[in-house]
């Protein structure tokens, strides 16, 4: 199974971002990808409430892209004003929602980001408190992906979730073969921890970890830019980096296209053998 992780530099022009997403999915499909993972905030960096008002329309557009190109598409995250049961979030907050669309365009999974980014960072923004805008999700999600008569189990995460090994381990215990990690890491936290976290969560869970990423400078209407780390990467079950984009901001041809693709193949047989050689989940005693 071939997987594509997308690196983008989403701004606040939703239509331009959608054009980039469509081109990236088309390109990944042409290169044989069965699953395309978009980064966090793929449709807009910032302007979350305005984007949430378009949640249904944006979901329908992304579903159409999946159907058009015959691939699974994971919308890294979209702000959503309601919970999975349809109830509007009462305090005006939203949820960061990761959606999976099948090749027929059907939505087959929804994951609401559980861990919300809270940190003080020595960058221009200084402090981050995602909980002021978003409500945390409460449910873990593992969902099947069917490719060429084989079934692969995808455990869903988003960005800050990468810092919590118990989540990755719980997803593996629920049957995951691979973990999605669409992200928008700050430049400084990404520089310090991004690659280490992808590799650590792969080792914790013995799953492939798919790190789609935002990278570069994002201009907000306040005039204050935000800088993200980029370096989209896919890590194998043994912690080795299978493939990565080596730049923070898009360079060269990728800059011209407004996206970069990182492709890798998940070999379930090799992963199964690796798990058998080091059966850590048979030895696990604390959870």
């Amino acid at each position: 199974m071939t997987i594509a992780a997308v690196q983008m530099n989403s701004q606040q022009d939703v239509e331009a971002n959608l054009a980039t997403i469509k081109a990236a999915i088309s390109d990944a499909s042409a290169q044989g990808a069965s699953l395309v993972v978009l980064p966090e905030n793929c449709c807009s960096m910032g302007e979350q409430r305005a984007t949430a008002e378009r949640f249904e329309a944006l979901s329908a557009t992304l579903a159409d892209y999946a159907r058009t190109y015959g691939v699974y598409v994971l919308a890294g995250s979209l702000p959503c004003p309601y919970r999975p049961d349809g109830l509007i979030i009462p305090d005006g907050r939203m949820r960061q929602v990761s959606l999976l669309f099948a090749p027929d365009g059907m939505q087959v999974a929804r994951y609401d980001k559980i861990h919300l980014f809270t940190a003080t960072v020595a960058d221009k923004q200084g402090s981050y408190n995602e909980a002021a805008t978003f409500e945390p999700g409460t449910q873990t999600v593992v969902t099947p992906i069917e490719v060429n008569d084989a079934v692969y189990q995808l455990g869903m995460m988003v960005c800050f979730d990468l810092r919590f090994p118990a989540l990755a381990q719980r997803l593996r215990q629920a049957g995951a073969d691979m973990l999605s990690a669409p992200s928008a890491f700050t430049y400084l936290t990404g520089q310090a921890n991004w690659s280490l976290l992808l590799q650590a969560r792969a080792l914790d869970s013995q799953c492939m970890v798919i790190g789609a990423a935002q990278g570069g400078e994002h201009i907000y209407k306040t005039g204050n830019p935000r800088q993200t780390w980029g370096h989209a990467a896919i890590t194998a079950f043994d912690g080795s980096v299978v493939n990565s984009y080596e730049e923070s901001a898009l360079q060269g041809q990728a800059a011209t296209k407004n996206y970069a693709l990182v492709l890798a193949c998940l070999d379930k047989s090799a992963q199964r053998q690796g798990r058998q050689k080091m059966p850590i989940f048979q030895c696990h005693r604390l959870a």
Side-chain angles (χ1 to χ4, degrees):
M1 175 183 176
T2 301
I3 299 158
V6 182
Q7 179 162 322
M8 296 178 62
N9 176 237
S10 297
Q11 301 296 328
Q12 294 183 355
D13 184 337
V14 174
E15 305 310 321
N17 295 332
L18 287 173
T20 297
I21 289 168
K22 183 177 182 180
I25 294 171
S26 174
D27 190 356
S29 176
Q31 294 190 51
S34 299
L35 168 65
V36 183
V37 179
L38 303 169
E40 186 177 31
N41 299 324
C42 53
C43 289
S44 179
M45 283 288 291
E47 292 295 295
Q48 298 286 357
R49 295 190 189 282
T51 307
E53 292 175 1
R54 301 179 59 180
F55 178 78
E56 296 291 345
L58 292 172
S59 299
T61 298
L62 295 170
D64 183 62
Y65 294 165
R67 181 169 51 249
T68 298
Y69 297 105
V71 296
Y72 285 90
V73 172
L74 188 140
S77 75
L78 292 171
C80 179
Y82 55 84
R83 297 169 179 157
D85 60 8
L87 290 177
I88 298 295
I89 299 167
D91 55 8
R93 289 188 293 170
M94 301 164 283
R95 287 197 177 190
Q96 277 280 40
V97 171
S98 193
L99 300 174
L100 180 66
F101 300 101
D104 62 2
M106 294 295 295
Q107 179 185 313
V108 291
R110 166 178 165 157
Y111 166 66
D112 293 16
K113 183 179 182 182
I114 291 174
H115 300 102
L116 300 178
F117 185 42
T118 304
T120 299
V121 181
D123 61 10
K124 292 181 180 179
Q125 184 158 330
S127 64
Y128 297 82
N129 180 17
E130 203 172 21
T133 306
F134 292 97
E135 178 184 71
T138 59
Q139 298 294 321
T140 58
V141 175
V142 176
T143 187
I145 290 178
E146 298 183 23
V147 177
N148 297 327
D149 298 323
V151 177
Y152 303 81
Q153 298 290 338
L154 173 67
M156 298 172 70
M157 303 191 298
V158 175
C159 200
F160 199 49
D161 286 331
L162 274 170
R163 293 191 180 271
F164 300 90
L167 175 58
Q169 292 169 334
R170 181 170 295 185
L171 293 171
R172 161 64 194 280
Q173 288 169 327
D177 300 305
M178 51 189 171
L179 307 178
S180 54
S183 299
F185 264 61
T186 73
Y187 187 91
L188 292 176
T189 57
Q191 185 179 44
N193 302 137
W194 170 247
S195 182
L196 289 172
L197 287 168
L198 292 175
Q199 292 176 278
R201 295 299 80 80
L203 287 168
D204 290 338
S205 64
Q206 296 179 315
C207 291
M208 173 172 276
V209 181
I210 309 158
Q214 294 283 356
E217 192 170 76
H218 312 269
I219 307 301
Y220 283 23
K221 290 182 179 179
T222 59
N224 296 322
R226 178 177 172 184
Q227 192 174 12
T228 50
W229 175 239
H231 294 84
I234 299 177
T235 305
F237 72 95
D238 60 0
S240 61
V241 178
V242 182
N243 196 6
S244 64
Y245 186 69
E246 295 303 314
E247 303 291 341
S248 177
L250 298 170
Q251 304 290 329
Q253 186 178 12
T256 301
K257 296 189 298 183
N258 293 321
Y259 67 87
L261 296 180
V262 172
L263 289 98
C265 290
L266 173 57
D267 183 341
K268 280 190 71 173
S269 177
Q271 182 168 280
R272 188 181 306 111
Q273 291 176 19
R275 290 175 171 185
Q276 290 171 348
K277 290 178 180 178
M278 189 174 289
I280 60 174
F281 280 81
Q282 293 178 26
C283 307
H284 199 176
R285 292 292 178 264
L286 294 180

